Amino acid sequence: MSTKDVVDLLCDIADQVAAVIGNKGSISVFRYAGKKLGERIGYAHRGSPEEARNLVATFFKEKGFMDDIELHKGEARLCGCKIGLVLKNRGSDAGKHALCHFGFGLIDGVMEGVTGHKTVTLHVESTYHEDGVTCRESW
């Protein structure tokens, strides 16, 4: 199963959850799930915010969700976001879908697990271009 197939399946699940409990409910459920996964990843690696950011980048790249992630002090630039491409093909905007909020929750959970400090990740923008989608997030 390819990364695109996994993302398509997760989008279908998120859309079904939204059909039952609404879009805001689906976003909340997926963000919570991402945060819980992030906490599990992060608690095993107590340390600095830089270590937390590296864990997040490694997770997304190893799973094939992103081609590259550029991390700065309070911002991430997600290059070649496969989730954003699938959403674009489905007619949804990147950054607003429940699956994007899963990723935001994952960042929050890892940051909190590693550093012990609460973090809230927000979508800044998505840029669509010939090579794919580039998203910027801040926390």
Short mmCIF file of all heavy atoms in Angstrom, two decimals, residues 5-76:
data_model
loop_
_atom_site.label_atom_id
_atom_site.label_comp_id
_atom_site.label_asym_id
_atom_site.label_seq_id
_atom_site.Cartn_x
_atom_site.Cartn_y
_atom_site.Cartn_z
N ASP A 5 -2.22 5.80 -0.99
CA ASP A 5 -3.33 4.92 -0.61
C ASP A 5 -3.68 5.08 0.86
O ASP A 5 -4.86 5.11 1.22
CB ASP A 5 -2.98 3.45 -0.90
CG ASP A 5 -2.84 3.15 -2.38
OD1 ASP A 5 -3.45 3.86 -3.20
OD2 ASP A 5 -2.09 2.20 -2.71
N VAL A 6 -2.67 5.16 1.72
CA VAL A 6 -2.90 5.34 3.16
C VAL A 6 -3.59 6.68 3.43
O VAL A 6 -4.55 6.76 4.18
CB VAL A 6 -1.57 5.23 3.95
CG1 VAL A 6 -1.76 5.64 5.40
CG2 VAL A 6 -1.02 3.81 3.86
N VAL A 7 -3.09 7.74 2.78
CA VAL A 7 -3.68 9.07 2.97
C VAL A 7 -5.12 9.09 2.45
O VAL A 7 -6.01 9.64 3.10
CB VAL A 7 -2.82 10.16 2.31
CG1 VAL A 7 -3.52 11.51 2.36
CG2 VAL A 7 -1.46 10.25 2.99
N ASP A 8 -5.37 8.46 1.30
CA ASP A 8 -6.74 8.38 0.78
C ASP A 8 -7.67 7.68 1.77
O ASP A 8 -8.79 8.13 2.03
CB ASP A 8 -6.78 7.63 -0.56
CG ASP A 8 -6.59 8.53 -1.75
OD1 ASP A 8 -7.05 9.69 -1.72
OD2 ASP A 8 -6.00 8.06 -2.75
N LEU A 9 -7.20 6.57 2.34
CA LEU A 9 -7.99 5.84 3.31
C LEU A 9 -8.27 6.68 4.55
O LEU A 9 -9.40 6.76 5.05
CB LEU A 9 -7.29 4.54 3.71
CG LEU A 9 -7.97 3.70 4.80
CD1 LEU A 9 -9.35 3.25 4.36
CD2 LEU A 9 -7.10 2.53 5.18
N LEU A 10 -7.25 7.35 5.07
CA LEU A 10 -7.43 8.20 6.24
C LEU A 10 -8.39 9.36 5.95
O LEU A 10 -9.18 9.74 6.81
CB LEU A 10 -6.08 8.72 6.74
CG LEU A 10 -5.16 7.66 7.34
CD1 LEU A 10 -3.78 8.24 7.60
CD2 LEU A 10 -5.75 7.08 8.61
N CYS A 11 -8.32 9.92 4.74
CA CYS A 11 -9.26 10.98 4.35
C CYS A 11 -10.69 10.44 4.32
O CYS A 11 -11.62 11.13 4.77
CB CYS A 11 -8.89 11.55 2.99
SG CYS A 11 -7.49 12.67 3.02
N ASP A 12 -10.86 9.23 3.78
CA ASP A 12 -12.19 8.62 3.76
C ASP A 12 -12.73 8.44 5.18
O ASP A 12 -13.90 8.73 5.45
CB ASP A 12 -12.15 7.25 3.06
CG ASP A 12 -11.95 7.36 1.56
OD1 ASP A 12 -12.18 8.46 0.99
OD2 ASP A 12 -11.55 6.34 0.95
N ILE A 13 -11.87 7.98 6.09
CA ILE A 13 -12.29 7.80 7.49
C ILE A 13 -12.66 9.14 8.11
O ILE A 13 -13.71 9.27 8.76
CB ILE A 13 -11.18 7.10 8.30
CG1 ILE A 13 -11.01 5.65 7.82
CG2 ILE A 13 -11.50 7.14 9.80
CD1 ILE A 13 -9.77 4.96 8.35
N ALA A 14 -11.83 10.15 7.89
CA ALA A 14 -12.12 11.48 8.43
C ALA A 14 -13.43 12.03 7.88
O ALA A 14 -14.22 12.63 8.62
CB ALA A 14 -10.97 12.44 8.12
N ASP A 15 -13.68 11.81 6.60
CA ASP A 15 -14.92 12.28 5.99
C ASP A 15 -16.13 11.56 6.57
O ASP A 15 -17.18 12.17 6.78
CB ASP A 15 -14.87 12.12 4.48
CG ASP A 15 -13.87 13.06 3.81
OD1 ASP A 15 -13.41 14.03 4.47
OD2 ASP A 15 -13.52 12.80 2.63
N GLN A 16 -15.99 10.27 6.86
CA GLN A 16 -17.09 9.53 7.47
C GLN A 16 -17.35 9.99 8.90
O GLN A 16 -18.49 10.11 9.33
CB GLN A 16 -16.81 8.02 7.43
CG GLN A 16 -16.92 7.42 6.05
CD GLN A 16 -18.29 7.62 5.45
OE1 GLN A 16 -19.31 7.29 6.04
NE2 GLN A 16 -18.33 8.19 4.26
N VAL A 17 -16.28 10.23 9.64
CA VAL A 17 -16.43 10.76 11.00
C VAL A 17 -17.14 12.11 10.94
O VAL A 17 -18.04 12.39 11.73
CB VAL A 17 -15.06 10.86 11.72
CG1 VAL A 17 -15.18 11.61 13.04
CG2 VAL A 17 -14.47 9.47 11.94
N ALA A 18 -16.75 12.96 9.98
CA ALA A 18 -17.40 14.27 9.82
C ALA A 18 -18.88 14.12 9.48
O ALA A 18 -19.70 14.92 9.94
CB ALA A 18 -16.67 15.09 8.76
N ALA A 19 -19.22 13.11 8.70
CA ALA A 19 -20.63 12.89 8.35
C ALA A 19 -21.46 12.53 9.58
O ALA A 19 -22.63 12.85 9.66
CB ALA A 19 -20.74 11.79 7.29
N VAL A 20 -20.84 11.89 10.56
CA VAL A 20 -21.56 11.47 11.76
C VAL A 20 -21.58 12.57 12.83
O VAL A 20 -22.63 12.85 13.40
CB VAL A 20 -20.91 10.18 12.35
CG1 VAL A 20 -21.56 9.81 13.67
CG2 VAL A 20 -21.03 9.03 11.36
N ILE A 21 -20.43 13.20 13.08
CA ILE A 21 -20.37 14.17 14.18
C ILE A 21 -20.05 15.60 13.74
O ILE A 21 -19.83 16.47 14.57
CB ILE A 21 -19.36 13.73 15.27
CG1 ILE A 21 -17.94 13.65 14.72
CG2 ILE A 21 -19.79 12.42 15.89
CD1 ILE A 21 -16.89 13.35 15.78
N GLY A 22 -19.98 15.83 12.44
CA GLY A 22 -19.71 17.16 11.93
C GLY A 22 -18.23 17.41 11.71
O GLY A 22 -17.37 16.69 12.23
N ASN A 23 -17.94 18.44 10.92
CA ASN A 23 -16.56 18.76 10.57
C ASN A 23 -15.73 19.14 11.79
O ASN A 23 -14.61 18.69 11.96
CB ASN A 23 -16.53 19.87 9.52
CG ASN A 23 -15.16 20.01 8.90
OD1 ASN A 23 -14.54 19.02 8.51
ND2 ASN A 23 -14.68 21.24 8.81
N LYS A 24 -16.30 19.98 12.67
CA LYS A 24 -15.56 20.39 13.87
C LYS A 24 -15.28 19.20 14.77
O LYS A 24 -14.21 19.09 15.36
CB LYS A 24 -16.32 21.46 14.64
CG LYS A 24 -16.30 22.80 13.96
CD LYS A 24 -17.01 23.84 14.79
CE LYS A 24 -17.00 25.19 14.09
NZ LYS A 24 -17.69 26.22 14.87
N GLY A 25 -16.24 18.28 14.86
CA GLY A 25 -16.04 17.08 15.66
C GLY A 25 -14.94 16.20 15.08
O GLY A 25 -14.10 15.67 15.81
N SER A 26 -14.93 16.06 13.76
CA SER A 26 -13.91 15.26 13.10
C SER A 26 -12.53 15.87 13.31
O SER A 26 -11.56 15.16 13.61
CB SER A 26 -14.22 15.17 11.60
OG SER A 26 -13.26 14.41 10.92
N ILE A 27 -12.44 17.19 13.18
CA ILE A 27 -11.17 17.87 13.41
C ILE A 27 -10.69 17.63 14.84
O ILE A 27 -9.53 17.32 15.08
CB ILE A 27 -11.31 19.38 13.10
CG1 ILE A 27 -11.37 19.59 11.59
CG2 ILE A 27 -10.17 20.19 13.73
CD1 ILE A 27 -11.72 21.00 11.16
N SER A 28 -11.60 17.73 15.79
CA SER A 28 -11.25 17.52 17.20
C SER A 28 -10.76 16.10 17.46
O SER A 28 -9.75 15.90 18.13
CB SER A 28 -12.47 17.84 18.08
OG SER A 28 -12.17 17.64 19.43
N VAL A 29 -11.46 15.12 16.91
CA VAL A 29 -11.09 13.71 17.10
C VAL A 29 -9.71 13.44 16.50
O VAL A 29 -8.86 12.80 17.13
CB VAL A 29 -12.16 12.78 16.50
CG1 VAL A 29 -11.65 11.35 16.37
CG2 VAL A 29 -13.44 12.82 17.33
N PHE A 30 -9.48 13.92 15.29
CA PHE A 30 -8.21 13.65 14.63
C PHE A 30 -7.06 14.40 15.30
O PHE A 30 -5.96 13.86 15.43
CB PHE A 30 -8.29 13.96 13.13
CG PHE A 30 -8.77 12.78 12.34
CD1 PHE A 30 -10.10 12.40 12.37
CD2 PHE A 30 -7.89 12.02 11.60
CE1 PHE A 30 -10.55 11.30 11.66
CE2 PHE A 30 -8.32 10.91 10.89
CZ PHE A 30 -9.66 10.55 10.92
N ARG A 31 -7.31 15.62 15.74
CA ARG A 31 -6.25 16.36 16.44
C ARG A 31 -5.89 15.65 17.75
O ARG A 31 -4.72 15.53 18.10
CB ARG A 31 -6.68 17.80 16.69
CG ARG A 31 -5.52 18.62 17.21
CD ARG A 31 -5.83 20.11 17.22
NE ARG A 31 -4.62 20.84 17.47
CZ ARG A 31 -4.08 21.74 16.68
NH1 ARG A 31 -4.67 22.05 15.55
NH2 ARG A 31 -2.97 22.34 17.00
N TYR A 32 -6.91 15.18 18.47
CA TYR A 32 -6.69 14.46 19.73
C TYR A 32 -5.89 13.18 19.46
O TYR A 32 -4.94 12.87 20.19
CB TYR A 32 -8.03 14.13 20.38
CG TYR A 32 -7.90 13.32 21.63
CD1 TYR A 32 -7.58 13.92 22.85
CD2 TYR A 32 -8.09 11.94 21.62
CE1 TYR A 32 -7.45 13.17 24.01
CE2 TYR A 32 -7.96 11.18 22.77
CZ TYR A 32 -7.64 11.80 23.96
OH TYR A 32 -7.51 11.05 25.10
N ALA A 33 -6.26 12.43 18.42
CA ALA A 33 -5.54 11.20 18.09
C ALA A 33 -4.07 11.49 17.75
O ALA A 33 -3.17 10.77 18.20
CB ALA A 33 -6.22 10.49 16.92
N GLY A 34 -3.84 12.55 16.98
CA GLY A 34 -2.46 12.93 16.66
C GLY A 34 -1.68 13.31 17.90
O GLY A 34 -0.51 12.93 18.06
N LYS A 35 -2.33 14.04 18.80
CA LYS A 35 -1.64 14.46 20.03
C LYS A 35 -1.27 13.25 20.87
O LYS A 35 -0.16 13.17 21.41
CB LYS A 35 -2.51 15.43 20.83
CG LYS A 35 -1.77 15.94 22.05
CD LYS A 35 -2.50 17.06 22.73
CE LYS A 35 -1.65 17.54 23.90
NZ LYS A 35 -2.25 18.61 24.63
N LYS A 36 -2.18 12.30 21.01
CA LYS A 36 -1.89 11.11 21.81
C LYS A 36 -0.73 10.31 21.21
O LYS A 36 0.15 9.84 21.94
CB LYS A 36 -3.14 10.23 21.95
CG LYS A 36 -4.18 10.85 22.84
CD LYS A 36 -3.58 11.01 24.23
CE LYS A 36 -4.34 11.92 25.11
NZ LYS A 36 -3.68 12.18 26.38
N LEU A 37 -0.72 10.16 19.89
CA LEU A 37 0.39 9.46 19.25
C LEU A 37 1.69 10.24 19.48
O LEU A 37 2.73 9.66 19.81
CB LEU A 37 0.14 9.29 17.75
CG LEU A 37 1.29 8.65 16.96
CD1 LEU A 37 1.62 7.26 17.49
CD2 LEU A 37 0.95 8.62 15.49
N GLY A 38 1.63 11.55 19.31
CA GLY A 38 2.81 12.39 19.52
C GLY A 38 3.36 12.29 20.93
O GLY A 38 4.57 12.23 21.14
N GLU A 39 2.45 12.26 21.92
CA GLU A 39 2.90 12.12 23.30
C GLU A 39 3.63 10.80 23.50
O GLU A 39 4.66 10.75 24.17
CB GLU A 39 1.71 12.19 24.26
CG GLU A 39 1.13 13.58 24.40
CD GLU A 39 -0.16 13.62 25.21
OE1 GLU A 39 -0.71 12.54 25.55
OE2 GLU A 39 -0.62 14.73 25.49
N ARG A 40 3.14 9.73 22.91
CA ARG A 40 3.80 8.42 23.03
C ARG A 40 5.19 8.44 22.42
O ARG A 40 6.12 7.86 22.95
CB ARG A 40 2.95 7.33 22.38
CG ARG A 40 1.71 7.03 23.15
CD ARG A 40 0.90 5.95 22.50
NE ARG A 40 -0.33 5.74 23.25
CZ ARG A 40 -1.34 5.05 22.82
NH1 ARG A 40 -1.29 4.46 21.63
NH2 ARG A 40 -2.43 4.91 23.54
N ILE A 41 5.31 9.11 21.29
CA ILE A 41 6.61 9.23 20.64
C ILE A 41 7.53 10.10 21.50
O ILE A 41 8.69 9.77 21.73
CB ILE A 41 6.47 9.84 19.23
CG1 ILE A 41 5.71 8.88 18.30
CG2 ILE A 41 7.84 10.21 18.65
CD1 ILE A 41 5.29 9.52 16.99
N GLY A 42 7.01 11.21 22.00
CA GLY A 42 7.81 12.20 22.70
C GLY A 42 8.26 11.81 24.09
O GLY A 42 9.38 12.14 24.50
N TYR A 43 7.42 11.11 24.86
CA TYR A 43 7.77 10.80 26.25
C TYR A 43 9.01 9.93 26.37
O TYR A 43 9.70 9.98 27.37
CB TYR A 43 6.59 10.14 26.98
CG TYR A 43 5.53 11.12 27.39
CD1 TYR A 43 4.19 10.81 27.24
CD2 TYR A 43 5.85 12.37 27.93
CE1 TYR A 43 3.19 11.71 27.60
CE2 TYR A 43 4.86 13.27 28.30
CZ TYR A 43 3.55 12.93 28.13
OH TYR A 43 2.57 13.82 28.49
N ALA A 44 9.33 9.18 25.34
CA ALA A 44 10.52 8.34 25.37
C ALA A 44 11.79 9.15 25.08
O ALA A 44 12.89 8.61 25.15
CB ALA A 44 10.38 7.21 24.36
N HIS A 45 11.64 10.41 24.76
CA HIS A 45 12.78 11.25 24.35
C HIS A 45 12.76 12.59 25.07
O HIS A 45 12.65 13.63 24.44
CB HIS A 45 12.74 11.51 22.85
CG HIS A 45 12.81 10.29 22.01
ND1 HIS A 45 11.71 9.60 21.61
CD2 HIS A 45 13.88 9.64 21.50
CE1 HIS A 45 12.08 8.57 20.89
NE2 HIS A 45 13.38 8.57 20.81
N ARG A 46 12.86 12.60 26.36
CA ARG A 46 12.87 13.88 27.09
C ARG A 46 14.05 14.72 26.63
O ARG A 46 15.16 14.21 26.48
CB ARG A 46 12.95 13.64 28.60
CG ARG A 46 11.73 12.98 29.18
CD ARG A 46 10.49 13.74 28.91
NE ARG A 46 9.96 14.27 30.17
CZ ARG A 46 8.95 15.09 30.21
NH1 ARG A 46 8.38 15.49 29.12
NH2 ARG A 46 8.50 15.52 31.35
N GLY A 47 13.81 16.01 26.38
CA GLY A 47 14.90 16.87 25.94
C GLY A 47 14.43 18.25 25.53
O GLY A 47 13.47 18.78 26.07
N SER A 48 15.10 18.79 24.53
CA SER A 48 14.91 20.17 24.10
C SER A 48 13.85 20.26 22.98
O SER A 48 13.53 19.26 22.34
CB SER A 48 16.23 20.73 23.57
OG SER A 48 16.56 20.09 22.34
N PRO A 49 13.37 21.48 22.73
CA PRO A 49 12.45 21.69 21.59
C PRO A 49 13.09 21.27 20.26
O PRO A 49 12.39 20.74 19.40
CB PRO A 49 12.18 23.20 21.62
CG PRO A 49 12.38 23.59 23.05
CD PRO A 49 13.50 22.71 23.54
N GLU A 50 14.39 21.47 20.12
CA GLU A 50 15.07 21.06 18.88
C GLU A 50 14.98 19.54 18.69
O GLU A 50 14.74 19.06 17.59
CB GLU A 50 16.54 21.51 18.91
CG GLU A 50 17.30 21.20 17.64
CD GLU A 50 16.76 21.88 16.40
OE1 GLU A 50 16.21 23.00 16.50
OE2 GLU A 50 16.87 21.29 15.31
N GLU A 51 15.17 18.78 19.77
CA GLU A 51 15.03 17.32 19.68
C GLU A 51 13.62 16.93 19.31
O GLU A 51 13.40 16.02 18.52
CB GLU A 51 15.44 16.68 21.01
CG GLU A 51 16.93 16.80 21.28
CD GLU A 51 17.30 16.38 22.69
OE1 GLU A 51 16.93 17.10 23.64
OE2 GLU A 51 17.95 15.33 22.81
N ALA A 52 12.64 17.65 19.87
CA ALA A 52 11.23 17.37 19.55
C ALA A 52 10.96 17.63 18.07
O ALA A 52 10.33 16.81 17.39
CB ALA A 52 10.31 18.22 20.43
N ARG A 53 11.43 18.75 17.56
CA ARG A 53 11.23 19.08 16.15
C ARG A 53 11.88 18.03 15.25
O ARG A 53 11.32 17.64 14.22
CB ARG A 53 11.77 20.47 15.85
CG ARG A 53 10.90 21.58 16.45
CD ARG A 53 11.32 22.95 15.97
NE ARG A 53 12.53 23.44 16.60
CZ ARG A 53 12.59 24.09 17.75
NH1 ARG A 53 11.48 24.35 18.41
NH2 ARG A 53 13.73 24.51 18.22
N ASN A 54 13.05 17.55 15.63
CA ASN A 54 13.71 16.52 14.83
C ASN A 54 12.93 15.21 14.84
O ASN A 54 12.87 14.51 13.83
CB ASN A 54 15.14 16.30 15.32
CG ASN A 54 16.06 17.43 14.93
OD1 ASN A 54 15.85 18.10 13.92
ND2 ASN A 54 17.09 17.68 15.72
N LEU A 55 12.33 14.86 15.98
CA LEU A 55 11.49 13.67 16.04
C LEU A 55 10.30 13.78 15.10
O LEU A 55 9.95 12.82 14.40
CB LEU A 55 10.97 13.44 17.47
CG LEU A 55 11.88 12.73 18.44
CD1 LEU A 55 11.28 12.77 19.84
CD2 LEU A 55 12.13 11.31 18.02
N VAL A 56 9.66 14.93 15.10
CA VAL A 56 8.51 15.16 14.22
C VAL A 56 8.94 15.04 12.76
O VAL A 56 8.28 14.35 11.96
CB VAL A 56 7.87 16.54 14.49
CG1 VAL A 56 6.85 16.88 13.42
CG2 VAL A 56 7.23 16.58 15.87
N ALA A 57 10.03 15.69 12.40
CA ALA A 57 10.51 15.65 11.02
C ALA A 57 10.83 14.22 10.60
O ALA A 57 10.44 13.78 9.51
CB ALA A 57 11.75 16.53 10.87
N THR A 58 11.49 13.49 11.46
CA THR A 58 11.84 12.10 11.16
C THR A 58 10.59 11.25 10.96
O THR A 58 10.50 10.46 10.01
CB THR A 58 12.71 11.51 12.29
OG1 THR A 58 13.91 12.28 12.38
CG2 THR A 58 13.05 10.05 12.03
N PHE A 59 9.60 11.41 11.83
CA PHE A 59 8.35 10.65 11.72
C PHE A 59 7.68 10.90 10.37
O PHE A 59 7.36 9.96 9.65
CB PHE A 59 7.39 11.03 12.85
CG PHE A 59 6.05 10.35 12.75
CD1 PHE A 59 5.86 9.08 13.27
CD2 PHE A 59 4.99 10.96 12.11
CE1 PHE A 59 4.64 8.44 13.17
CE2 PHE A 59 3.76 10.33 12.01
CZ PHE A 59 3.58 9.07 12.53
N PHE A 60 7.48 12.17 10.01
CA PHE A 60 6.78 12.48 8.76
C PHE A 60 7.55 12.02 7.53
O PHE A 60 6.95 11.51 6.58
CB PHE A 60 6.49 13.98 8.66
CG PHE A 60 5.32 14.44 9.48
CD1 PHE A 60 5.45 15.50 10.36
CD2 PHE A 60 4.08 13.83 9.38
CE1 PHE A 60 4.37 15.94 11.11
CE2 PHE A 60 3.01 14.25 10.13
CZ PHE A 60 3.14 15.31 11.01
N LYS A 61 8.87 12.15 7.55
CA LYS A 61 9.66 11.73 6.40
C LYS A 61 9.71 10.21 6.29
O LYS A 61 9.58 9.65 5.21
CB LYS A 61 11.06 12.33 6.45
CG LYS A 61 11.05 13.81 6.12
CD LYS A 61 12.42 14.39 5.83
CE LYS A 61 13.32 14.43 7.01
NZ LYS A 61 14.56 15.20 6.80
N GLU A 62 9.92 9.51 7.42
CA GLU A 62 9.99 8.05 7.40
C GLU A 62 8.69 7.42 6.94
O GLU A 62 8.69 6.38 6.29
CB GLU A 62 10.36 7.50 8.78
CG GLU A 62 11.83 7.62 9.10
CD GLU A 62 12.18 7.03 10.47
OE1 GLU A 62 11.26 6.64 11.23
OE2 GLU A 62 13.38 6.99 10.77
N LYS A 63 7.57 8.03 7.30
CA LYS A 63 6.26 7.50 6.91
C LYS A 63 5.90 7.89 5.47
O LYS A 63 4.90 7.43 4.94
CB LYS A 63 5.16 7.99 7.85
CG LYS A 63 5.38 7.62 9.30
CD LYS A 63 5.46 6.13 9.50
CE LYS A 63 5.66 5.79 10.96
NZ LYS A 63 6.36 4.58 11.19
N GLY A 64 6.72 8.75 4.86
CA GLY A 64 6.50 9.15 3.47
C GLY A 64 5.44 10.22 3.29
O GLY A 64 4.98 10.45 2.18
N PHE A 65 5.05 10.91 4.36
CA PHE A 65 4.04 11.95 4.26
C PHE A 65 4.60 13.25 3.70
O PHE A 65 3.85 14.08 3.19
CB PHE A 65 3.38 12.22 5.61
CG PHE A 65 2.53 11.08 6.10
CD1 PHE A 65 2.78 10.51 7.34
CD2 PHE A 65 1.51 10.57 5.34
CE1 PHE A 65 2.00 9.45 7.80
CE2 PHE A 65 0.73 9.52 5.79
CZ PHE A 65 0.98 8.96 7.03
N MET A 66 5.90 13.46 3.81
CA MET A 66 6.55 14.69 3.34
C MET A 66 7.84 14.31 2.63
O MET A 66 8.48 13.33 2.97
CB MET A 66 6.94 15.62 4.50
CG MET A 66 5.91 15.89 5.53
SD MET A 66 4.57 16.85 4.88
CE MET A 66 3.30 16.46 6.08
N ASP A 67 8.22 15.13 1.64
CA ASP A 67 9.52 14.94 1.00
C ASP A 67 10.63 15.51 1.88
O ASP A 67 11.70 14.94 1.99
CB ASP A 67 9.56 15.63 -0.36
CG ASP A 67 8.67 14.93 -1.38
OD1 ASP A 67 8.39 13.72 -1.21
OD2 ASP A 67 8.24 15.60 -2.33
N ASP A 68 10.35 16.66 2.49
CA ASP A 68 11.34 17.30 3.34
C ASP A 68 10.64 18.23 4.31
O ASP A 68 9.55 18.72 4.04
CB ASP A 68 12.34 18.10 2.49
CG ASP A 68 13.55 18.56 3.28
OD1 ASP A 68 13.95 17.87 4.24
OD2 ASP A 68 14.11 19.61 2.94
N ILE A 69 11.27 18.46 5.44
CA ILE A 69 10.74 19.39 6.43
C ILE A 69 11.88 20.31 6.86
O ILE A 69 12.94 19.84 7.27
CB ILE A 69 10.17 18.66 7.66
CG1 ILE A 69 9.01 17.77 7.25
CG2 ILE A 69 9.72 19.67 8.72
CD1 ILE A 69 8.41 16.98 8.38
N GLU A 70 11.64 21.60 6.73
CA GLU A 70 12.60 22.59 7.20
C GLU A 70 12.06 23.13 8.53
O GLU A 70 10.93 23.60 8.60
CB GLU A 70 12.73 23.73 6.19
CG GLU A 70 13.26 23.28 4.85
CD GLU A 70 13.18 24.37 3.80
OE1 GLU A 70 12.86 25.53 4.14
OE2 GLU A 70 13.42 24.05 2.63
N LEU A 71 12.86 23.00 9.57
CA LEU A 71 12.43 23.40 10.90
C LEU A 71 13.17 24.64 11.35
O LEU A 71 14.39 24.73 11.20
CB LEU A 71 12.68 22.27 11.89
CG LEU A 71 11.95 20.97 11.59
CD1 LEU A 71 12.50 19.85 12.43
CD2 LEU A 71 10.47 21.14 11.81
N HIS A 72 12.41 25.57 11.87
CA HIS A 72 12.97 26.80 12.41
C HIS A 72 12.47 26.91 13.84
O HIS A 72 11.72 26.06 14.31
CB HIS A 72 12.56 28.00 11.56
CG HIS A 72 12.89 27.80 10.11
ND1 HIS A 72 14.16 27.91 9.61
CD2 HIS A 72 12.11 27.45 9.06
CE1 HIS A 72 14.15 27.66 8.32
NE2 HIS A 72 12.92 27.38 7.95
N LYS A 73 12.84 27.94 14.54
CA LYS A 73 12.53 28.06 15.97
C LYS A 73 11.05 27.81 16.27
O LYS A 73 10.72 26.99 17.10
CB LYS A 73 12.95 29.42 16.50
CG LYS A 73 12.78 29.54 17.99
CD LYS A 73 13.36 30.79 18.52
CE LYS A 73 13.20 30.80 20.03
NZ LYS A 73 13.81 31.93 20.66
N GLY A 74 10.15 28.49 15.63
CA GLY A 74 8.72 28.32 15.91
C GLY A 74 7.90 28.03 14.69
O GLY A 74 6.71 28.32 14.63
N GLU A 75 8.54 27.43 13.67
CA GLU A 75 7.84 27.23 12.41
C GLU A 75 8.39 26.01 11.69
O GLU A 75 9.56 25.67 11.81
CB GLU A 75 8.04 28.48 11.55
CG GLU A 75 7.25 28.47 10.27
CD GLU A 75 7.39 29.78 9.52
OE1 GLU A 75 6.75 30.76 9.92
OE2 GLU A 75 8.17 29.81 8.56
N ALA A 76 7.50 25.37 10.95
CA ALA A 76 7.90 24.25 10.10
C ALA A 76 7.44 24.53 8.68
O ALA A 76 6.35 25.06 8.46
CB ALA A 76 7.27 22.95 10.59
#
